[in-house]
């Protein structure tokens, strides 16, 4: 009898992307974090890679990692800050939100102290006042920041 990896054995290898023999392309989970500093500033990172521009610290969730752990890890990698998450804010799933592929992001609100320093795939990390946000934001991060600002000032959450 042949090895299960032998194409002639009649046994198929396990394919985690296949369901009932059909292969599906699924959205990829990501996280983004609104990092608030004392004084109310918000931390953004300038991306090294396309799509370029300023963005919220964030990235892909690794296999076996919770969303919360991914948010803390990505924040630390890209800003050098130790972030304490306060709440899960909203999940954004518009297939057009990322020009590379369909990514779904869960946004967290967290707090940190210190000066952000760019790292990993962030060329630069910087704190901005809410009235001083840069003009070119990557992805749908202008929308996310507007939603969070409204929530922080009025308590009104984004409607589904």
């Amino acid at each position: 009898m042949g090895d299960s990896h032998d194409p002639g054995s009649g046994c198929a290898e396990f394919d985690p992307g296949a369901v009932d023999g059909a292969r599906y392309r699924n959205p990829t989970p990501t996280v983004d974090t609104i990092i608030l500093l004392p004084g109310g500033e918000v931390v953004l990172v300038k991306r090294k890679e396309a799509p370029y521009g300023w963005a919220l610290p964030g990235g892909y969730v690794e296999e076996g990692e919770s969303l919360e752990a991914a948010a803390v890890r990505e924040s630390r990698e890209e800003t050098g800050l130790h972030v304490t998450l306060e709440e899960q804010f909203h999940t954004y799933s518009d297939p057009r939100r990322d020009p590379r592929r369909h990514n779904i992001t869960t946004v967290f609100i967290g707090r940190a102290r210190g000066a952000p320093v760019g790292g990993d795939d962030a060329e630069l990390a910087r704190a901005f006042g809410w009235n001083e946000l840069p003009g070119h934001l990557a992805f749908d991060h202008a929308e996310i920041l507007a939603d969070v600002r409204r929530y922080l000032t009025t308590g009104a959450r984004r409607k589904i």
Side-chain angles (χ1 to χ4, degrees), residues 22 31 36 38 47 50 64 73 78 87 94 98 103 108 114 121:
V31 292
L36 301 173
R47 293 178 50 81
R73 176 185 52 77
E78 294 184 359
E87 63 183 293
D94 186 331
D98 186 331
N103 289 324
F108 291 88
D121 55 349

Side-chain angles (χ1 to χ4, degrees), residues 5-29:
H5 298 306
D6 176 10
S9 71
C11 295
E13 280 190 60
F14 174 72
D15 182 351
V19 177
D20 292 332
R23 180 121 179 101
Y24 294 94
R25 290 186 52 201
N26 297 315
T28 303

Side-chain angles (χ1 to χ4, degrees), residues 15 21 29 51 82 121 147 151 157:
D15 182 351
H82 294 276
D121 55 349
D147 290 346
Y151 169 66
R157 283 194 171 270

